[in-house]
Amino acid sequence: MTFSKFRPTQLRTRMAALYAGLFILGFVVVAIVAQVMIEGQARRSVTAEMVTSGTVYDRIWALREQSLTGTSDVLARDFGFRSAVASGDQLTILSALETLKARAKVPVAAVVGLDGSVTGATGPLAQAMAQLPFQLADGRRDAVIGLGGDTYRLVSSPVLAPTEIGWVVFAVRLDAGEMRSLEKLSAIPMVATILQRSPAGHWQSADGVVPPTSDIDTLVSSSRVSRVISTIDVGGKEFYALARPLAGPQGEAQAVMLLRYSTSLALAPFRPIQFGILLAGLIVLALVILGSLRLAGAIARPITALQRAAQALEEGNRTEVDVIGTDEIGQLADSFNRMSAGIVERESRITHLAFHDQLTDLPNRAFFRQSLDEKLSRLTRTGEQLAVLYLDLDGFKSVNDTLGHPVGDALLRSVAKVLLGLTPDGLVARLGGDEFAIILSSGFEKDRPRALAQSIIDALVEPMLVDGLCIPTGASLGIAIGPDDGANSVQLLKNADLALYRAKQDGRGVFHFFEASLDQAARERRQIELDLRSALKTGQFELNYQPIFDLNAHRIGCFEALIRWNHPVRGPISPVDFIPVAEDTGLIVAIGEWVLHEACRQAATWPGHVRVAINVSALQFRHPGFAATVMQVLARSGLQPNRLEIEITESVFLDGDGPVMALLQKLRSLGVRIALDDFGTGYSSLSYLRSFAFDKIKIDKSFVDTIVGDASASAIVSAIVVLATALKMETTAEGVEDALQLAELRDKGCSSIQGYYYSRPVNGAAAFEMISDPNFAAAAA
C-alpha cells in the first residue's frame, strides 16, 4: 500500500481555489441578489409613476368636464339664449352653438329639449345626445358612449329659465388625436388607447393595435373596484398597463381608457447601474464579499429612499430625495426630484384652473361654494355672522349683442378690478356670465354690507372706458346674512339670488336684503309655473268678455277678451299673479295663441258689427310666428279680419321699432285692426302715432279715475281725444265706473267706453245674450 504525499503547495492551491470559488460564488450570489433588489425596486418605482400619472389623467379628465360645463353654463344663463330655447328659435340656437363650439374648442354641440328634440346635431350621434340628459343619474353631467367604431365623451349642462327647459350637450370624439394630447401631459412616455367591447365580449381597440386577450379582460374587470397595474403583452412586447373604465350614461362602462408603459423603457434607466455593479465586481474580485456588501448597501439605501419618496408622492405629498454623487443612482434621484416638482407644479396649475375663473382670475363658483361652506361651519361655533352679496350687471346682454363678446369680456375684467378694489375685506368670485358674488366674513361692521352694496352701485353707475369705448354700466345686488338666511352655501346663495331678483323687479340699480317672504313668493311663483304647464293641457282656462260701448252708434261695438284661470285646487287665480310668470317662462306665447283661437271662434257667432279685442303681450307679439298664427286663426274661425282688434302696449317698441312696424304693416294688410293700449303711460312717444296709423287709442284708466276732479287729468284726456280725432283714430276710455265720468268723456268726444259702469266681464253665453238684448243698449245710452 502506498500513500500519496500531501504537499502544502497543493493545499494552498486548493485552499486558494476554494477561497476563489467561495469568492466567486459569493460574488455571484451577491450580484444576483443585488440585481433582483434593483429590478424589484425599479418596478415598484415605475408602478408609483404609473399611479401618479393615472391620478394626473383623472384630474385632467375632470378639469375638462368642468371647463366644458363652465363654458356651457355661461351660455345657459344668457337670457337671450334661454328665450331662444324656450321659444324654439332655431336660428338663434344654432348661432349660439357655433360660437360656443369655437370658444370651447369642441367639434359638436347641441341643444336637447325636454321633449328629446335635438338642435345642432344629426344622425346616430344626435340620438345618443338626445337620450343623455334623461339617462344620467343625479349629480352626473358627462358620460362616454361607443357609437359604431368610434367613442365619444358627452357632457351635459342644463338650461334654466329658471327651471330646466333643456340641456346644452357637447360631444368630443375620443380619437387618436385626443389620446395624443393626453399623453403629452404625462411625465413618462405612456400610450393611451380607447378600448371597446367586441361582439364576443372582449375588450379591444377599434384599430386592432390592442387585440382582445384574457389579461386585458381581467385588468378591466379588476379596475372597476380599484386601481390595478398589471403586465400585459401587446404585439409581442411587454407593457405595464393601467385601465380606467369610462362610465356610460347609465353607469355601465361602454369604453375603457388603457394606459400602457413599455417595460423596456421603464427599466432602461436602471441598466447602467446593473452593468456598473458587474464591472466593479470583476475588477475587485478579491474584495467581492466586502465590496458586494457595501455595494448592496449603497444601492439599497437610495433605492429604498426613492421607493418611499415615490409612495409619498403617490399619496399626494410633495417629497424629495437627497442627491449624493453624479452616478446613475444620483441621476435617478435627481430625475425623480424633477419629476416630483413637475407633478406638484402641474397639480397646482390644475387646481388653480379648477377653482378660478379663466377670464377674470377670480375664484369661481366651486371655490366660492367651498369657501362659503367652510366659513358657515365656523359660524356655528363662534355665533357670528357673514354676508353674501350677489351681483348682476344690468344690460350686459346688450353689450355682448351690440359690441361683441371680446368687449363684453373686457368689461367683465374691468368690473372684477372694481369689485376687488372696493372689497379688501372680502372674497370676490365670478359665478358665471355677468354674475359675481362677495363674502364678507365674520367681524364686519353691522352696516358694512349695505355700505358696500351702495358703493358698488355708485362705482358701476358711471360709464366704464373699455378698449377705447365708453360703456354705460350698472348693477343690482341681493344680500343674504348667514346663518340667519341660510345655514349652508346652497340655501344662502339661493336666498341672495332671490333678493337680487327682487332688486331687479324694483327697477335695477338698487340692492335688496333677503326676506322670508321672498322665499315664499318664489315657491308660489314656482308652483304657478308648474301648474300653468298643465292648465293649458287640461282646459283650466276660460275667456270672459267685457263690452266696449260705441257712444256714436249707441250699441255694443266690441268685446275685450279677458283670460281667467279656474285652478282645480286653489280656485280662481288672478291674471295679475300668473301673467307675469307666463311671460318670464315664455308660456305666454302658447297661452296667447289659445286666447286668439278661442276668442275668434266665439266672436264668429256674434253679429257682424261686433268686434273682439285681444290684448297681446310684447313677447308674444315679437314671436317670429305671430303673423302666421293670426292668419291661421282667422282661416280656422271664419272671422272677418276687420272684426279682430289686436291691442298692443308701447313696450313692444322697446327693442327697436323697425321690426315692429313691419309686423304692424303686415297685420294691417290682412285687414286686422290695431289698437294702442294704455296710451299716455310708461314709455309713450308721439313718434309711434306718426309712424303708424293705429285704428284706436285706449285711454288708460289712471286718467279716467280722476277726470272729474283733476283738471290736469281732464286736460290730458282732452288732448288725447283731439289728437286721435286729428289722426282719424278712434278712442276708448278704460275703467269708466260712474255717470259723471261718462258725461265728461262724452262731452270731450270720446268714441267708446269700457268699464264697470256698463258691465263687468261676463262669460261667452252672457256676452251673446247682452248683444241680443235691445234693453241693454237703451239703458247704456
Side-chain angles (χ1 to χ4, degrees):
M1 177 179 294
T2 60
F3 294 90
S4 60
K5 294 183 179 180
F6 181 79
R7 297 184 178 89
T9 55
Q10 292 178 342
L11 178 59
R12 286 194 296 271
T13 301
R14 291 176 181 176
M15 289 297 295
L18 177 60
Y19 286 138
L22 289 174
F23 289 161
I24 293 173
L25 179 61
F27 168 75
V28 171
V29 171
V30 171
I32 292 174
V33 171
Q35 298 296 334
V36 170
M37 290 177 61
I38 292 171
E39 187 163 336
Q41 293 290 352
R43 287 179 180 272
R44 285 191 289 274
S45 178
V46 169
T47 299
E49 291 178 353
M50 288 280 290
V51 172
T52 301
S53 296
T55 302
V56 173
Y57 274 48
D58 289 346
R59 295 190 181 180
I60 293 171
W61 183 270
L63 179 61
R64 179 61 167 159
E65 177 197 350
Q66 293 173 1
S67 175
L68 292 176
T69 54
T71 302
S72 62
D73 282 345
V74 173
L75 178 63
R77 289 189 178 87
D78 184 87
F79 178 79
F81 180 74
R82 289 184 294 176
S83 299
V85 174
S87 61
D89 188 349
Q90 299 288 320
L91 292 178
T92 301
I93 294 173
L94 291 174
S95 176
L97 289 175
E98 286 300 321
T99 302
L100 183 62
K101 288 192 291 184
R103 295 178 67 180
K105 297 181 180 179
V106 296
V108 182
V111 170
V112 178
L114 295 176
D115 58 352
S117 60
V118 179
T119 302
T122 59
L125 180 58
Q127 296 176 6
M129 296 171 79
Q131 297 171 1
L132 179 69
F134 305 97
Q135 294 176 336
L136 287 177
D138 291 341
R140 289 191 58 207
R141 301 182 73 172
D142 75 321
V144 175
I145 64 168
L147 203 60
D150 296 326
T151 304
Y152 292 88
R153 184 184 188 187
L154 305 183
V155 180
S156 170
S157 180
V159 181
L160 306 177
T163 61
E164 205 166 60
I165 61 173
W167 299 268
V168 176
V169 181
F170 291 107
V172 179
R173 184 182 176 191
L174 301 180
D175 54 8
E178 190 74 8
M179 295 301 100
R180 300 299 85 79
S181 298
L182 284 175
E183 292 168 7
K184 293 178 182 178
L185 300 175
S186 174
I188 57 177
M190 296 206 309
V191 179
T193 308
I194 294 296
L195 307 182
Q196 290 187 10
R197 195 184 293 276
S198 68
H202 299 292
W203 292 100
Q204 65 182 42
S205 64
D207 56 7
V209 173
V210 180
T213 65
S214 59
D215 289 343
I216 293 178
D217 291 343
T218 302
L219 174 62
V220 173
S221 178
S222 301
S223 298
R224 292 193 179 98
V225 179
S226 61
R227 180 168 293 170
V228 177
I229 294 180
S230 179
T231 304
I232 62 172
D233 183 85
V234 177
K237 295 182 179 180
E238 187 180 60
F239 291 88
Y240 293 114
L242 174 67
R244 185 185 187 277
L246 305 177
Q250 296 178 342
E252 181 66 21
Q254 298 182 18
V256 171
M257 181 185 294
L258 180 68
L259 304 177
R260 48 197 172 96
Y261 184 17
S262 172
T263 55
S264 60
L265 291 177
L267 299 177
F270 301 94
R271 300 304 184 195
I273 299 175
Q274 296 171 326
F275 291 124
I277 294 173
L278 180 60
L279 181 61
L282 293 176
I283 294 175
V284 195
L285 183 57
L287 301 175
V288 63
I289 297 176
L290 179 61
S292 298
L293 290 174
R294 295 183 63 184
L295 184 60
I299 294 174
R301 281 192 297 273
I303 292 296
T304 302
L306 282 171
Q307 189 272 337
R308 291 173 179 171
Q311 185 176 1
L313 187 61
E314 177 187 356
E315 295 171 355
N317 299 319
R318 172 74 171 97
T319 184
E320 287 190 358
V321 294
D322 294 333
V323 179
I324 301 175
T326 58
D327 59 3
E328 288 80 359
I329 297 295
Q331 293 175 11
L332 178 61
D334 185 58
S335 298
F336 176 85
N337 290 339
R338 289 198 302 270
M339 181 190 73
S340 175
I343 291 174
V344 170
E345 190 275 332
R346 284 191 293 273
E347 287 185 350
S348 176
R349 186 167 64 249
I350 291 171
T351 301
H352 183 83
L353 291 174
F355 289 102
H356 286 77
D357 173 51
Q358 297 185 37
L359 180 63
T360 62
D361 203 39
L362 292 176
N364 60 12
R365 180 181 291 269
F367 187 90
F368 182 86
R369 289 273 295 274
Q370 179 178 315
S371 299
L372 186 55
D373 277 327
E374 292 174 355
K375 295 177 185 299
L376 284 170
S377 65
R378 288 197 293 268
L379 293 185
T380 59
R381 299 189 299 269
T382 63
E384 296 178 327
Q385 291 183 323
L386 63 77
V388 171
L389 287 74
Y390 204 130
L391 164 68
D392 183 271
L393 298 183
D394 298 331
F396 180 73
K397 179 180 180 298
S398 63
V399 174
N400 273 342
D401 292 344
T402 57
L403 301 178
H405 287 280
V407 175
D409 291 346
L411 176 60
L412 290 175
R413 286 191 290 268
S414 298
V415 170
K417 292 179 181 178
V418 171
L419 296 178
L420 287 172
L422 294 174
T423 321
D425 54 343
L427 171 67
V428 181
R430 180 183 176 219
L431 303 186
D434 61 338
E435 296 179 345
F436 297 83
I438 299 171
I439 300 176
L440 291 178
S441 301
S442 58
F444 58 82
E445 296 181 3
K446 184 176 181 180
D447 198 49
R448 174 57 176 158
R450 184 188 303 274
L452 176 59
Q454 189 60 55
S455 64
I456 291 173
I457 291 173
D458 293 343
L460 296 182
V461 76
E462 299 295 333
M464 301 186 73
L465 186 62
V466 178
D467 291 346
L469 300 173
C470 191
I471 302 176
T473 58
S476 303
L477 291 95
I479 306 173
I481 305 298
D484 297 341
D485 297 335
N488 57 65
S489 62
V490 175
Q491 187 66 36
L492 195 59
L493 198 59
K494 170 196 167 187
N495 291 339
D497 192 18
L498 289 175
L500 170 61
Y501 182 79
R502 178 60 180 273
K504 286 188 172 293
Q505 284 185 323
D506 289 348
R508 301 175 183 268
V510 297
F511 63 88
H512 200 288
F513 280 86
F514 171 76
E515 301 168 356
S517 59
L518 295 180
D519 186 45
Q520 181 61 31
R523 293 175 185 272
E524 292 178 358
R525 181 183 179 88
R526 172 62 176 160
Q527 189 60 50
I528 288 177
E529 179 185 343
L530 294 175
D531 292 346
L532 273 176
R533 296 184 183 277
S534 63
L536 194 59
K537 298 178 182 178
T538 57
Q540 297 176 21
F541 292 120
E542 65 177 31
L543 292 183
N544 282 358
Y545 302 90
Q546 186 173 33
I548 300 176
F549 194 78
D550 189 334
L551 293 178
N552 297 322
H554 302 292
R555 65 184 181 184
I556 296 175
C558 184
F559 279 96
E560 181 176 1
L562 303 170
I563 190 169
R564 296 292 183 263
W565 182 9
N566 294 316
H567 194 281
V569 177
R570 302 171 61 183
I573 298 179
S574 171
V576 175
D577 294 328
F578 72 82
I579 290 298
V581 178
E583 290 180 334
D584 287 347
T585 59
L587 291 172
I588 193 67
V589 176
I591 294 174
E593 185 173 337
W594 176 85
V595 172
L596 277 170
H597 279 281
E598 181 64 18
C600 290
R601 183 193 66 79
Q602 185 77 36
T605 65
W606 299 340
H609 70 277
V610 181
R611 300 186 299 274
V612 63
I614 301 174
N615 196 305
V616 177
S617 75
L619 183 63
Q620 181 186 3
F621 189 79
R622 291 194 294 265
H623 190 267
F626 180 70
T629 299
V630 172
M631 289 189 288
Q632 182 187 37
V633 167
L634 292 174
R636 182 173 295 179
S637 65
L639 185 70
Q640 292 297 316
N642 63 354
R643 293 181 59 199
L644 173 60
E645 191 170 278
I646 299 294
E647 295 183 359
I648 61 173
T649 61
E650 294 150 356
S651 61
V652 302
F653 296 98
L654 293 183
D655 289 338
D657 56 2
V660 174
M661 288 299 177
L663 179 56
L664 290 174
Q665 295 293 351
K666 187 172 184 178
L667 293 174
R668 172 62 58 78
S669 67
L670 296 176
V672 176
R673 290 169 56 87
I674 307 296
L676 185 59
D677 198 9
D678 298 336
F679 183 76
T681 62
Y683 302 89
S684 63
S685 173
L686 296 179
S687 63
Y688 302 148
L689 302 182
R690 186 183 66 178
S691 303
F692 184 79
F694 291 93
D695 295 286
K696 179 188 289 186
I697 296 175
K698 299 194 74 174
I699 303 172
D700 188 70
K701 183 178 183 299
S702 61
F703 299 116
V704 176
D705 287 342
T706 57
I707 191 172
V708 176
D710 188 342
S712 61
S714 178
I716 291 174
V717 172
S718 296
I720 293 175
V721 172
V722 170
L723 177 64
T725 303
L727 295 175
K728 297 182 175 56
M729 300 178 186
E730 300 176 14
T731 52
T732 294
E734 297 181 292
V736 179
E737 297 184 353
D738 57 49
L740 292 177
Q741 292 174 344
L742 171 62
E744 187 75 17
L745 291 165
R746 192 192 297 272
D747 290 343
K748 294 183 183 299
C750 191
S751 306
S752 54
I753 301 297
Q754 177 182 359
Y756 286 178
Y757 180 72
Y758 286 122
S759 173
R760 291 177 177 273
V762 297
N763 59 34
F768 187 81
E769 293 177 1
M770 193 178 291
I771 298 171
S772 307
D773 185 3
N775 295 326
F776 176 81

